[in-house]
Amino acid sequence: MVLIKLDSTVGAMDATASSKDSAVLHRHLDSTFLNMTRSEGNFLILENGRKIFDASGGAAVGCLGWGNQRVAQAVTNQVLAAPYCATIFYTTRVQEELCRDLVQSTNGAMARAYIVNSGSEAMEAAVKLARQYFLEIDQPQRTLFISRKQSYHGITLGALAVGGHEVRRAKFEPLLAKNVSRVSPCNAFRGKAPGESDEDYAKRLAKELDEEFQRVGPEKVCAFVAEPIVGAALGCVPAVKGYFKAVREVCDKHGALLILDEVMCGMGRSGTLHAWEQEGIVPDIQTIGKALGGGYQPVAGLLAGHRVVKALEKGTSVFVHGHTYQGHPAGCAAALEVQQIVREENLLSNVRTMGDLLSSRLRELLASHPNVGDIRGRGLFWGIEFVADKENMAPFPSDDHVCMEICELGLTDKYGINVYPGGGSVDGYTGDHIIISPAFNVSREDVEWIAATVGRLVSEYFTAKARA
């Protein structure tokens, strides 16, 4: 994904900051950034007071909207009570309560939780935990991982090695571990053969996975890694029915673990607290983040199943891993309060109801558009993939920066909406999509406005592009 400079139509009255004049090592050193001074409800508020509706919650992070006083107070109280905990010696009540809450939310399917500060850290921990599990049960030959093409599991070197997002990997390939191979993603829009049923498609992909186990040596594989709903890399692509059951069977057949990355699609975003609940299976290790703390603190984590935890308990009883800020009290306080609010306000029901409305409105407005190839997702996690030619699903050239231009146009005063860009959905380089993932407590009126505004944004962008 490549950012381009904000267009001048953002508005002369907006306070902006040029990265060239900044002391910040920004993501892009030749871009101009809008100065956001505060946020409240669903709105991001710029320095001049102009409001932008946050229809993506940042990167699918904001699940309660912004300015929630309960969460802010919980964090404040914890910072005043105990702002830091050196977990080599101590624990805190808030960490214990959060982890207990997360384990209980799986109805006993998972055994313990491990709290870190980002999804990438969570995936690093998951990979290391999978490897250590096999050391604990005396299978040290297991050092390989299998993941999927067009996947994204984090930006640190270990997480990047497990992922299959080519653009993000490209510059760092010489540094990445070579013990990962990849199979096809479950992407019905681009992967299903003409006339192929979902059942047959799932079987074909399971067969491909089984053959990959056989090719690399099934006794050497630690785990298969996948997102139940692929977020940034594919744009909210859910698996077809039966796929994850078939995948679980392949992993069990070969004695490997199943790691599910729910950093983006989990903690309620897809309509159930854990996305795997909709698949009829349970992972051995699960990563979580983003909606876990709703953006009020940097917080993420992993959940480990009983099989994994029992191996450690019967073995060394030591997870050889650790971070200075793991189990950070303020992060735990934010996450615990966010999860309590999600339950008390029955927000998962709203996610499902408003998600149905959002998907139907987007399809009504955009399904027939000549440059909209697919609209897909679950809950309040929806992606729109764009195509240059609808007949053969050909993508736009990556140099056109279609997804970024649409998102930047959305930030202008004419639209005032924030949606999330993504690229590489076809082959890791080409393919454009945007993600729409508003807060869990979004109203019907908000959803109607989001859909209408996105419809207008997409239509007017491609009309202008055709004229250019």
Side-chain angles (χ1 to χ4, degrees), residues 335-389:
L336 185 61
E337 195 69 24
V338 166
Q339 296 312 307
Q340 288 173 346
I341 292 170
V342 168
R343 278 197 302 274
E344 290 171 13
E345 298 185 4
N346 196 26
L347 292 184
L348 295 185
S349 175
N350 196 61
V351 169
R352 294 188 290 270
T353 301
M354 293 301 103
D356 288 344
L357 177 62
L358 179 61
S359 66
S360 65
R361 290 291 186 267
L362 289 174
R363 288 187 170 111
E364 287 171 9
L365 292 166
L366 290 172
S368 61
H369 191 282
N371 297 115
V372 172
D374 193 30
I375 301 170
R376 65 287 184 111
R378 285 182 190 163
L380 284 173
F381 195 44
W382 287 88
I384 303 174
E385 183 173 340
F386 305 108
V387 293
D389 186 332

Side-chain angles (χ1 to χ4, degrees), residues 289-305:
K290 300 191 187 293
L292 172 62
Y296 285 84
Q297 286 286 290
V299 62
L302 70 77
L303 290 163

Side-chain angles (χ1 to χ4, degrees), residues 257-301:
L257 300 179
L258 174 61
I259 300 175
L260 292 186
D261 177 354
E262 295 203 6
V263 169
M264 201 171 200
C265 67
M267 299 313 297
R269 176 60 63 188
S270 64
T272 52
L273 195 63
H274 307 290
W276 52 258
E277 295 178 73
Q278 300 175 49
E279 306 297 340
I281 54 98
V282 176
D284 297 294
I285 300 173
Q286 169 193 358
T287 57
I288 54 177
K290 300 191 187 293
L292 172 62
Y296 285 84
Q297 286 286 290
V299 62

Side-chain angles (χ1 to χ4, degrees), residues 211-283:
E211 289 173 348
E212 184 62 15
F213 268 91
Q214 300 290 352
R215 186 188 72 82
V216 301
E219 75 286 353
K220 298 178 183 178
V221 178
C222 281
F224 176 61
V225 184
E227 296 168 87
I229 304 172
V230 184
L234 284 182
C236 307
V237 172
V240 298
K241 185 178 181 181
Y243 170 79
F244 275 103
K245 282 189 175 180
V247 160
R248 174 81 265 185
E249 290 173 0
V250 172
C251 291
D252 291 343
K253 172 184 174 182
H254 298 297
L257 300 179
L258 174 61
I259 300 175
L260 292 186
D261 177 354
E262 295 203 6
V263 169
M264 201 171 200
C265 67
M267 299 313 297
R269 176 60 63 188
S270 64
T272 52
L273 195 63
H274 307 290
W276 52 258
E277 295 178 73
Q278 300 175 49
E279 306 297 340
I281 54 98
V282 176

Side-chain angles (χ1 to χ4, degrees), residues 127 156 273 405:
V127 168
T156 52
L273 195 63
E405 288 187 352

